[in-house]
Amino acid sequence: MPVPPSNAAANGLPKHRASEAGKVSGSGQARPKVLLLVETTMAFGRSVLEGISRYRIERQPWSVQLDLRELMAGPPAWFRSWDGDGIITRDTTPEMIEIIRETGIPTVNLGDIRDDQSLPSVINDHEAIGRLAASHLADKGIEHFAFAGFSDHHWSSQRLTGFLAGLAERGVEDPERVHVHQSGWSSASQGGWQQQQDQIVAWVKSLPRPIGILACNDFRGQHILEACQTAKVSVPDEIAVLGVDNDHVLCDFCDPPLSSIIPAAERIGYQAAVMLDQMMRGQTPDKPHVQIAPLGIAERLSTDVMAIDDEDVAAAIQMIRFRACEGLTVSDILAEVPIARSSLERRFRQYLGRSPQAEIRRVQIKRACQLLRDTELSLVKISRLTGFKHAEYFSVVFKREVNQTPGRYRDASRAKARKPFG
């Protein structure tokens, strides 16, 4: 359908030549035809698609064409001849932008690899992600910080900018306390991964310790954790590592599991759908470039550290961190840490404000909350995976610690995740 003048002006594009079958306004006319060029190989892209789908269900039925693809796959061969009403894309290569300008089809850009605002866009607030990371790591009592990113991606540079700004707000401005390593995503994907990994290992070995590292995304976080294993560096005691994207599969495959900032990917998809719907109706978006702040942090073992200048307490905490969900007891700790029970109790309360047993419970319940939120496992299975012999006792302890039964916690967590965006 022809684009109304206001919409063409909003895009800076010529009127497009989509067929009359795709008209949006008026009763009894066909559903608008929308093309989604969003990667399905990564958790972020799949969550974006969930947000778009949610908008379709709640507000506006569309006829959707989804191109199954990888990130940075480039425009499909048939793209130039595609005849439709709107596009949402995470893959705005220069070639694709040129084709979009030629066709004039209303398009919302979700891509942030390049610093390009030629199309209306909805993206992560990358500087806010960096600031959140700085706050999280600084709260651990760590005095040295580092950033590991991709030199050829604009979003990575923005996260570094936010990270440095957040550290400066905490009084960390000495360049000797902040370290940066960057290399190209494209060179790694073209066969240079091992060379990059060797460079990361050398960088990790050169860092002061203890140190907190923000990896620009979970893939880079996995690279850092692999490098720490190669360099025989203890995580998180010597190096704490924080990723971005909260890709559950990737984070849990890491050793130890990777803490990660949670982007509002579903909200990004939903807002992109809102914007595209406005544009296809001939309306100019109120704000053509929208940035969405992250939701928070999913903390796993890779940042579960506090700067404690007590070797016995630090050793006990490390045992709890890795073995609490295997049924670890205070007696087990005392068998390996040469300290009297009364002294261990007193020093735990001095540094943590709680007893060793309370710390064991904290780690168990934290893991249980993650499993309840992110899996469909039964209470029996979750109780066993968190170190409880009986599901009934697990439920009693969980309710005492969380003030909710496990079932209510699971339901409430999912209801919160599905709350309205509008």
Side-chain angles (χ1 to χ4, degrees):
M1 72 173 187
V3 179
S6 61
N7 192 35
N11 280 280
L13 302 173
K15 296 180 180 180
H16 84 287
R17 44 85 189 111
S19 66
E20 289 295 319
K23 286 187 176 179
V24 178
S25 59
S27 60
Q29 295 185 348
R31 294 180 177 185
K33 184 178 178 181
V34 174
L35 174 62
L36 304 180
L37 297 174
V38 178
E39 81 279 0
T40 53
T41 57
M42 302 172 70
F44 182 86
R46 293 192 297 272
S47 293
V48 166
L49 291 171
E50 288 178 6
I52 297 171
S53 177
R54 182 171 170 183
Y55 179 80
R56 290 180 61 246
I57 293 171
E58 293 180 359
R59 304 290 182 88
Q60 175 64 53
W62 293 342
S63 174
V64 168
Q65 181 175 345
L66 174 61
D67 185 54
L68 301 178
R69 59 184 19 242
E70 297 180 356
L71 185 64
M72 298 186 291
W78 43 262
F79 182 63
R80 190 178 294 274
S81 62
W82 184 76
D83 190 16
D85 302 291
I87 299 168
I88 297 176
T89 178
R90 279 256 295 159
D91 197 1
T92 48
T93 63
E95 179 186 3
M96 182 173 289
I97 291 176
E98 180 183 354
I99 296 172
I100 290 170
R101 286 191 171 280
E102 290 176 0
T103 61
I105 299 175
T107 301
V108 177
N109 173 36
L110 309 184
D112 42 19
I113 294 174
R114 302 167 185 83
D115 184 12
D116 186 341
Q117 294 192 338
S118 60
L119 297 172
S121 62
V122 184
I123 61 173
N124 280 307
D125 186 337
H126 298 294
E127 292 194 15
I129 287 173
R131 289 175 184 271
L132 179 60
S135 177
H136 179 72
L137 293 174
D139 284 345
K140 300 293 181 180
I142 297 170
E143 296 188 357
H144 294 272
F145 305 89
F147 177 86
F150 293 110
S151 56
D152 50 358
H153 281 207
H154 180 65
W155 55 265
S156 179
S157 299
Q158 288 183 301
R159 291 175 185 180
L160 172 58
T161 297
F163 187 57
L164 296 176
L167 290 176
E169 292 167 2
R170 293 297 191 103
V172 182
E173 299 181 279
D174 184 350
E176 293 187 0
R177 293 176 60 189
V178 183
H179 308 262
V180 177
H181 174 85
Q182 300 196 80
S183 55
W185 179 306
S186 58
S187 61
S189 64
Q190 294 169 5
W193 181 87
Q194 188 57 57
Q195 181 181 0
Q196 280 200 16
Q197 193 64 15
D198 292 342
Q199 294 171 354
I200 293 173
V201 171
W203 178 64
V204 164
K205 289 180 177 179
S206 73
L207 294 173
R209 304 170 198 167
I211 192 168
I213 299 178
L214 169 60
C216 65
N217 65 3
D218 292 338
F219 288 102
R220 190 53 110 194
Q222 183 189 35
H223 300 162
I224 298 298
L225 291 176
E226 289 291 331
C228 288
Q229 286 199 1
T230 301
K232 301 188 185 308
V233 175
S234 175
V235 177
D237 302 284
E238 295 181 275
I239 295 181
V241 184
L242 176 64
V244 183
D245 283 342
N246 197 34
D247 186 320
H248 298 290
V249 173
L250 182 57
C251 289
D252 286 336
F253 263 118
C254 291
D255 186 16
L258 177 66
S259 296
S260 186
I261 293 175
I262 309 168
E266 189 174 341
R267 182 180 294 272
I268 288 173
Y270 191 95
Q271 293 300 329
V274 171
M275 184 180 290
L276 181 64
D277 196 26
Q278 291 176 337
M279 293 165 61
M280 291 191 299
R281 294 175 182 274
Q283 301 170 7
T284 301
D286 296 332
K287 189 176 179 181
H289 301 290
V290 177
Q291 295 185 351
I292 306 293
L295 298 176
I297 294 176
E299 186 170 9
R300 302 179 179 89
L301 288 181
S302 70
T303 60
D304 191 9
V305 64
M306 294 186 69
I308 296 176
D309 188 20
D310 186 313
E311 291 184 2
D312 292 331
V313 173
I317 289 174
Q318 187 172 24
M319 286 183 64
I320 292 172
R321 183 184 303 126
F322 289 102
R323 293 168 53 187
C325 293
E326 298 174 5
L328 182 77
T329 66
V330 177
S331 296
D332 295 329
I333 296 173
L334 294 169
E336 298 187 30
V337 178
I339 186 174
R341 180 183 287 266
S342 59
S343 181
L344 182 67
E345 293 274 352
R346 175 176 53 79
R347 287 150 74 174
F348 254 72
R349 292 186 185 280
Q350 174 187 345
Y351 286 104
L352 301 183
R354 52 186 173 268
S355 68
Q357 182 59 44
E359 179 64 7
I360 292 172
R361 284 283 181 262
R362 185 189 72 83
V363 174
Q364 289 176 308
I365 296 302
K366 184 177 180 180
R367 175 61 172 164
C369 288
Q370 180 192 353
L371 292 172
L372 287 166
R373 287 194 310 266
D374 299 340
T375 76
E376 300 293 339
L377 295 174
S378 68
L379 293 187
V380 172
K381 184 66 172 177
I382 290 175
S383 67
R384 291 175 181 170
L385 288 173
T386 52
F388 293 88
K389 293 182 179 179
H390 304 290
E392 294 80 6
Y393 182 57
F394 163 72
S395 295
V396 170
V397 173
F398 189 93
K399 184 176 182 181
R400 184 182 69 211
E401 298 293 328
V402 184
N403 294 321
Q404 283 183 307
T405 65
R408 285 188 177 276
Y409 177 85
R410 173 174 268 171
D411 292 343
S413 298
R414 294 180 178 181
K416 182 179 180 181
R418 302 296 295 175
K419 68 180 181 181
F421 292 145

